[in-house]
Amino acid sequence: MAEPEAAPVSAEAVLRELGLFELRCRGDDVPDRLLELCLTHGLGPVALANELLAFVTSKDLGTQLDADVLDAFEHEALAKRRGRSLQRRDNRHGGVLYDVHSLQQLLDEEEEDELLDAYSTPSKGSQKRGNSTPETPRPKRTLSSRSPYALLSPNSFSPSVTPSQKYAARGGRGEVVASFGSTQGPSWSGRGGDGCPLKLFGPPEENLTKTYKFMFQKALDVREVMFWRLEELGAALKSHHGLEDFTSVALPVQEPVTVLGQIGCDGNGKLNAKSVVLLGDRDYSWGAQVALDLSRLADYSLFPGQVVALEGINSTGMRLVVTKLYEGVPLPFHAPPPEPAPEQRMVLVACGPYTTSDSVAYEPLADLVEVIARDRPDVCVLFGPFLDTKHEQVENCQLPGAFADVFKLCLKTIIEGTRSAGSRLVFVPSARDVHHDPVYPQPPFLFPELHKDDKARVHFVPDPCTLDVDSVVFGLTSTDLLFHMGTEEMSSSSGISDRFTRVLKHVLTQRSYYPLYPPSEELNVDYKSFYAYAALPVTPDVLVTPSELRYFVKDVLGCVCINPGRLTKGQVGGTYGRLYLQRDDAGAGGSERRSPCVAAQVVKI
């Protein structure tokens, strides 16, 4: 039987995929050029969009695509990709497999042939070999630079500590690229953490404080967690919107009914209006699912894993024609006990990697430590990765020691370098930290070598976590939920045109640090721990969500959300964030709530 032909690539399909990442075309000839790149390099719309997003993010080129950007993309990214594919094809069809011993034997035979050629008459067109004289002797036979044994020698594990040339030549140091609130007045200096209380929010049993066993979950356990979340959020929807009892999603009815369930996709691709289904709850629908018809719904924003209540008609029991969507409800904000308003606090937030991709000199980290020593913020929240799994020298095992040893050296540099400033340090792990447990939720770092004089100001917290900074609640997560959810979310004619705002609104209304299900392939979720430690206890006053996507500071449903960016992007410098906190007097009852974050900025390192 003949294989079905693949769907032809069109410029509209490419533009649709680019739109998912907020990439826009500048110029009428750009769509045709994108289609040409797809056909020339054998890429589909999804693959091209992913490659382009990675390229413009690493080069910090913004979201506008023009002819110059596409030329640079083809020469720098696609040319390397084509070279790697050709090399793999040559290796695949070579017909001979070599190990380290056979490779060394081939190199020895080659050197013997060269020695015999020295005594023979050179043929026409052959290259001359250099003669060995007392003034210019030929080197003694040593280990060839191409030898596979040389790759395993101890010298090869010495890292390149040459400073990054591109990072050293960067411009715009200290430039403010995003701001929020009254940014004219603050001088952006703190008190060095003097008298600033800091603790995990909530009782100890609700916070992840130690490592745990993972990789033991069963599919039944995952299903139970999904049903528990469905029941809890369903009760909140029912109470807030005044809904009556829900109806089964599989019950054929000729009149409008209200159903409860979780958004899902009936295929392996991305969610769209034709593939969206509703997975019913256990109490009313016994876990059944129904296809959704969204043609009568003007405004919606959906993603896989979202818990919703829908109103519509399900005349056949097979397809629900949706006429109304009941959105989720955020949790209330934390109400601190009545007390005099605390002093103004400065908080600095930064996210790794802390060294450029072409060096392990950690120059950006040294510059950040200088900023902390100069500005003396009260609290510094530092997100991983501190030793990135995606770094070239980590992937090639070219570090001078064990991963954990390099990480401890990095921590020691930060702690000792900020000791004079007195700032409180908060370390948040990342799934990209090569030495740490690759699981979500992620336990805090272990650092038994911490000096006793530093234990009061250095805090190791899990990912995600909710932090209380002088009665101001911070939500912290190093997981790139903006990228993960942004690529899966679908919307139509929504009043909120900004994708970041829609995603952050989903996080707050779904009351979870990671409401996407199934999760991204990059994330290993342990759902029993997820149910216990990844839920939002309250709506945070400040939500910090570092991402590969563009930095921003936004007010979403009264919560100040900041993406400080990453401290490095490839071989160039990145950004970090800083915030000023000033909580109102909690004893002033009856007044409208004001955000304790009075100012925020994203600054280039």
Side-chain angles (χ1 to χ4, degrees):
M1 182 181 296
E3 295 182 358
E5 296 183 0
V9 180
S10 64
E12 291 76 11
V14 177
L15 295 177
R16 184 167 57 252
E17 293 298 329
L18 294 177
L20 295 175
F21 302 106
E22 306 291 339
L23 297 177
R24 299 289 181 262
C25 296
R26 183 191 298 165
D28 297 334
D29 58 337
V30 173
D32 294 335
R33 182 65 194 285
L34 290 170
L35 181 60
E36 178 184 347
L37 291 177
C38 283
L39 299 177
T40 304
H41 297 275
L43 295 173
V46 175
L48 181 68
N50 291 336
E51 294 275 359
L52 259 175
L53 177 64
F55 177 76
V56 298
T57 302
S58 63
K59 301 293 183 181
D60 200 17
L61 298 177
T63 59
Q64 297 294 326
L65 303 178
D66 54 20
D68 294 335
V69 172
L70 294 184
D71 287 341
F73 168 67
E74 183 177 19
H75 292 305
E76 296 183 31
L78 295 185
K80 294 180 180 178
R81 183 180 184 275
R82 184 176 181 86
R84 288 194 300 268
S85 62
L86 291 175
Q87 183 179 4
R88 286 195 298 268
R89 185 174 61 185
D90 292 341
N91 293 337
R92 185 167 61 250
H93 296 293
V96 181
L97 295 176
Y98 297 101
D99 60 9
V100 66
H101 304 290
S102 57
L103 281 173
Q104 184 64 41
Q105 183 179 0
L106 287 176
L107 292 171
D108 291 342
E109 292 176 356
E110 181 179 343
E111 291 185 6
E112 290 177 1
D113 292 340
E114 291 175 354
L115 184 61
L116 292 175
D117 290 342
Y119 293 95
S120 61
T121 303
S123 58
K124 181 182 260 187
S126 64
Q127 295 183 353
K128 281 189 176 182
R129 292 177 47 85
N131 295 325
S132 176
T133 65
E135 291 77 13
T136 58
R138 290 190 62 186
K140 294 183 179 180
R141 185 172 178 180
T142 58
L143 212 56
S144 171
S145 60
R146 296 174 294 163
S147 171
Y149 290 117
L151 297 178
L152 303 176
S153 64
N155 292 335
S156 65
F157 287 88
S158 299
S160 170
V161 292
T162 304
S164 173
Q165 298 299 322
K166 287 189 176 181
Y167 178 79
R170 72 192 187 281
R173 306 184 187 192
E175 177 186 352
V176 177
V177 293
S179 59
F180 170 84
S182 56
T183 57
Q184 298 297 327
S187 59
W188 295 109
S189 62
R191 302 174 182 269
D194 184 24
C196 180
L198 186 150
K199 62 180 180 179
L200 289 173
F201 183 84
E205 61 271 13
E206 295 181 3
N207 290 286
L208 181 60
T209 57
K210 58 183 180 180
T211 59
Y212 62 92
K213 293 183 179 180
F214 51 94
M215 298 179 65
F216 293 97
Q217 67 180 353
K218 301 177 182 178
L220 181 63
D221 298 334
V222 177
R223 189 191 68 174
E224 288 296 312
V225 169
M226 293 296 103
F227 279 141
W228 292 341
R229 288 198 69 247
L230 196 53
E231 293 170 3
E232 292 177 359
L233 293 177
L237 287 168
K238 188 176 181 180
S239 173
H240 179 78
H241 295 286
L243 303 176
E244 298 180 356
D245 286 344
F246 297 112
T247 305
S248 171
V249 300
L251 180 66
V253 289
Q254 305 301 320
E255 58 185 16
V257 294
T258 304
V259 297
L260 173 68
Q262 185 182 64
I263 296 297
C265 181
D266 67 352
N268 293 327
K270 294 182 180 179
L271 190 68
N272 57 63
K274 302 297 182 181
S275 65
V276 61
V277 297
L278 185 71
L279 310 175
D281 67 332
R282 181 164 46 187
D283 293 340
Y284 298 97
S285 302
W286 309 287
Q289 73 177 38
V290 64
L292 298 182
D293 183 349
L294 305 175
S295 58
R296 299 187 184 181
L297 199 60
D299 298 333
Y300 61 84
S301 174
L302 304 173
F303 66 91
Q306 180 181 2
V307 176
V308 295
L310 302 174
E311 184 178 299
I313 300 175
N314 187 7
S315 58
T316 64
M318 303 294 291
R319 179 175 292 274
L320 177 69
V321 180
V322 183
T323 57
K324 188 173 183 180
L325 167 66
Y326 294 96
E327 296 184 354
V329 186
L331 289 163
F333 290 94
H334 172 59
E339 58 184 13
E343 299 177 350
Q344 186 167 275
R345 303 292 185 184
M346 177 185 173
V347 178
L348 183 144
V349 292
C351 180
Y354 293 92
T355 187
T356 55
S357 61
D358 59 341
S359 171
V360 289
Y362 280 93
E363 287 182 286
L365 178 61
D367 292 341
L368 182 67
V369 170
E370 289 183 5
V371 170
I372 296 173
R374 180 194 67 199
D375 296 341
R376 301 180 70 240
D378 295 278
V379 179
C380 299
V381 183
L382 304 178
F383 296 85
F386 295 89
L387 185 57
D388 192 3
T389 57
K390 298 182 179 181
H391 195 281
E392 180 180 351
Q393 295 190 18
V394 172
E395 291 179 338
N396 298 330
C397 294
Q398 294 177 338
L399 294 177
F403 295 146
D405 294 338
V406 178
F407 165 72
K408 291 176 182 178
L409 183 61
C410 182
L411 281 192
K412 185 178 180 182
T413 301
I414 299 172
I415 295 171
E416 293 182 355
T418 60
R419 190 172 290 158
S420 60
S423 303
R424 293 182 177 271
L425 303 177
V426 179
F427 292 94
V428 185
S430 167
R432 286 168 55 179
D433 276 302
V434 67
H435 71 287
H436 202 42
D437 295 339
V439 64
Y440 186 89
Q442 196 170 21
F445 290 129
L446 297 177
F447 191 53
E449 295 85 355
L450 182 64
H451 195 275
K452 63 179 181 180
D453 295 337
D454 295 317
K455 289 185 177 180
R457 72 180 189 94
V458 178
H459 305 265
F460 298 101
V461 299
D463 173 36
C465 82
T466 307
L467 201 64
D468 186 329
V469 180
D470 203 2
S471 299
V472 177
V473 179
F474 275 70
L476 308 176
T477 177
S478 61
T479 303
D480 197 346
L481 60 89
L482 292 173
F483 183 79
H484 293 175
M485 292 182 62
T487 56
E488 299 293 339
E489 183 247 10
M490 58 170 288
S491 63
S492 174
S493 302
S494 176
I496 304 176
S497 59
D498 181 15
R499 183 182 295 270
F500 292 153
T501 302
R502 295 198 304 266
V503 169
L504 292 167
K505 185 179 178 183
H506 285 315
V507 172
L508 298 176
T509 57
Q510 294 292 300
R511 307 180 178 186
S512 172
Y513 282 106
Y514 196 85
L516 182 66
Y517 181 82
S520 168
E521 294 181 355
E522 299 178 0
L523 203 63
N524 306 313
V525 181
D526 184 280
Y527 276 95
K528 278 193 173 181
S529 299
F530 172 86
Y531 182 74
Y533 304 120
L536 287 171
V538 294
T539 296
D541 299 307
V542 179
L543 179 63
V544 187
T545 59
S547 173
E548 296 283 356
L549 303 178
R550 189 173 178 83
Y551 44 77
F552 61 80
V553 188
K554 298 177 180 293
D555 186 318
V556 181
L557 301 178
C559 172
V560 176
C561 304
I562 178 172
N563 169 21
R566 298 193 181 273
L567 198 66
T568 62
K569 290 188 175 182
Q571 299 181 15
V572 298
T575 54
Y576 66 93
R578 56 191 184 188
L579 306 95
Y580 257 134
L581 308 177
Q582 178 64 63
R583 186 169 56 80
D584 289 339
D585 191 344
S591 60
E592 184 180 355
R593 176 191 176 273
R594 294 174 56 187
S595 174
C597 181
V598 296
Q601 289 182 343
V602 179
V603 187
K604 285 187 176 181
I605 186 64

